[in-house]
Amino acid sequence: MFVACYRPGFREAKVHFPGTPRPSMTYRAGIVGTGGVAGMGIYDGSDEDIGEDPVDASHAGGYAAVEDVELVAVADIDQDALERFGRAWGIPEGNRYLGHESMLDAADLDIVSVCTPSMLHREHVEDVATMGDPEVIWCEKPVACSVSDAESMVATCEEAGVELVVNHSQRFLRQNGAVRAAIRDGLVGDVQSITSGSPMELLRVGTHVVDLSLYLLDARAELVAGHVTGANQAADHLTDDEIDDAATGGFFTLDSGTFVTYDGTASRDVSTFHHRINGTEGRLVRAEDGWRYWDSADGDHEERDPPTDGYDDGHEQSFVNAASHIVDLVEERAENVSPGNAAVETLEVLVGLYVSHYTGGQVSLPLDRPLKDVTVTSW
């Protein structure tokens, strides 16, 4: 006799035989890059600089909340940032490494987070996969700045036998997993269209919304058209470098036949993350207070309980869920819910929106060369 508690892809996925001890093992984690999402706070549009205190909505916060993982090492090329992070998260001075190569050479790590700017992701992920010996790499989004770089990262990790997890955090929220399952089970019938949006900066912010549409429908984009405004609220705060990432809108069609619009042209003070999924038998709407569901199978539009009842994970919890999911991947108890190849497909849409704007035409996916090599830089 055994007891099984199952929720696809998350930490509840366990099988335990009563009366037998659970195996106990602590996995050693390291982080490359000590910026906001690593553990020091994420820029939210305010004028406040990243401070000296640890922030739980982060990779380090996710590791700290999971008993099976210990954050033991951190690397950065900025000595001051490295020391600040080490103090905040209690990393011993001897485990604070100037440069990721020195960390990979000295530390025996099971899990490595890559939290550097996206233009450095290929170098750092491939170095971690080939120079280190981790089971899992947890890479920030967007996965890379070009599709060719992203594909190289995926291939390198596959050749090294390393699982690549990309932090498209919406995939780690249990309510979104419940919506995905409900759509697959026919709750709203055939999904005809999705309207979606987020505050500006496509690669930095909008990537979550674009990726969620693909995840919920388990689909791939086929055609993209975009418009880029050039506005960026975060660039001046986050970097002195000139970057391409900007407010963007457009549409893309899916191989499922669904038409998706995305609007990321508005500023943070007037825009929020949103999704409206329109099906032949109902609709699902995500607002600030969570998902809502209307049943129209009988011709009426009656609001009913959404499939997300009981799940209220917030942004901070997404990091905890992701870290917990990574432990399950290490222990081979789950399938990767945010793999590198899915992140490549999302990046194709993002790059396609930019290419469409600058060429004045629609872009077919998957991208072929030379469009795979088009680089869109983002912090």
Side-chain angles (χ1 to χ4, degrees):
M1 175 182 177
F2 66 89
V3 178
C5 300
Y6 179 67
R7 179 82 197 154
F10 291 99
R11 197 77 168 103
E12 291 86 356
K14 296 285 183 289
V15 176
H16 175 60
F17 292 86
T20 62
R22 293 179 184 273
S24 177
M25 183 169 182
T26 300
Y27 299 104
R28 295 165 54 85
I31 296 179
V32 180
T34 59
V37 76
M40 303 305 295
I42 300 171
Y43 172 64
D44 61 1
S46 70
D47 293 328
E48 296 296 324
D49 291 329
I50 292 174
E52 296 286 328
D53 298 325
V55 174
D56 289 335
S58 64
H59 285 242
Y63 292 140
V66 176
E67 63 179 10
D68 302 318
V69 180
E70 181 182 3
L71 178 59
V72 298
V74 63
D76 203 297
I77 59 172
D78 184 324
Q79 185 72 53
D80 291 339
L82 183 63
E83 297 306 320
R84 178 185 62 191
F85 187 97
R87 290 192 303 270
W89 287 99
I91 308 298
E93 290 188 11
N95 291 359
R96 305 172 192 172
Y97 298 94
L98 195 61
H100 69 284
E101 298 95 340
S102 59
M103 183 182 79
L104 297 173
D105 184 59
D108 181 17
L109 302 171
D110 303 296
I111 304 164
V112 177
S113 283
V114 173
C115 300
T116 49
S118 57
M119 64 279 286
L120 301 175
H121 284 178
R122 177 179 177 177
E123 174 190 350
H124 290 160
V125 166
E126 293 187 349
D127 282 355
V128 171
T130 56
M131 296 172 60
D133 188 28
E135 297 288 334
V136 177
I137 297 173
W138 183 10
C139 180
E140 259 307 306
K141 54 71 201 170
V143 60
C145 289
S146 72
V147 173
S148 58
D149 277 359
E151 289 181 336
S152 176
M153 292 161 62
V154 171
T156 299
C157 288
E158 288 179 349
E159 290 171 7
V162 177
E163 194 77 52
L164 177 60
V165 177
V166 179
N167 195 43
H168 278 126
S169 58
Q170 296 297 312
R171 291 177 178 248
F172 301 110
L173 296 177
R174 292 179 298 171
Q175 58 263 40
N176 292 338
V179 168
R180 184 175 189 259
I183 292 172
R184 185 177 61 240
D185 292 342
L187 181 69
V188 296
D190 295 328
V191 178
Q192 297 178 321
S193 68
I194 296 177
T195 57
S196 66
S198 73
M200 61 177 60
E201 296 109 40
L202 179 65
L203 271 73
R204 183 175 177 272
V205 181
T207 181
H208 290 296
V209 175
V210 171
D211 181 74
L212 181 58
S213 292
L214 302 181
Y215 168 68
L216 291 177
L217 269 62
D218 193 18
R220 183 165 188 170
E222 293 185 325
L223 186 71
V224 181
H227 170 72
V228 179
T229 72
N232 187 315
Q233 288 185 295
D236 291 342
H237 186 91
L238 293 173
T239 178
D240 294 328
D241 298 327
E242 184 175 344
I243 64 173
D244 305 312
D245 198 4
T248 302
F251 75 82
F252 50 100
T253 60
L254 304 182
D255 56 8
S256 61
T258 304
F259 179 82
V260 183
T261 60
Y262 168 76
D263 180 6
T265 62
S267 59
R268 288 177 178 80
D269 57 343
V270 298
S271 180
T272 60
F273 289 91
H274 59 275
H275 261 81
R276 176 179 173 135
I277 300 167
N278 304 297
T280 55
E281 297 182 11
R283 69 179 185 271
L284 287 155
V285 178
R286 185 182 72 162
E288 290 186 66
D289 58 348
W291 285 95
R292 299 173 67 183
Y293 162 59
W294 283 264
D295 182 358
S296 58
D298 296 327
D300 298 323
H301 295 280
E302 184 174 351
E303 185 168 8
R304 300 185 184 277
D305 291 337
T308 57
D309 275 5
Y311 300 129
D312 58 355
D313 295 350
H315 180 60
E316 179 180 320
Q317 187 63 35
S318 72
F319 289 92
V320 180
N321 291 350
S324 187
H325 177 59
I326 286 168
V327 172
D328 283 343
L329 292 177
V330 172
E331 297 182 351
E332 299 183 348
R333 291 193 298 229
E335 293 185 4
N336 193 342
V337 300
S338 192
N341 55 9
V344 171
E345 294 175 7
T346 296
L347 182 62
E348 283 190 311
V349 177
L350 309 184
V351 172
L353 289 167
Y354 282 96
V355 171
S356 170
H357 173 84
Y358 288 108
T359 61
Q362 297 180 349
V363 177
S364 296
L365 301 182
L367 294 175
D368 204 349
R369 294 192 184 277
L371 296 183
K372 283 186 179 183
D373 299 324
V374 170
T375 298
V376 184
T377 57
S378 177
W379 180 254

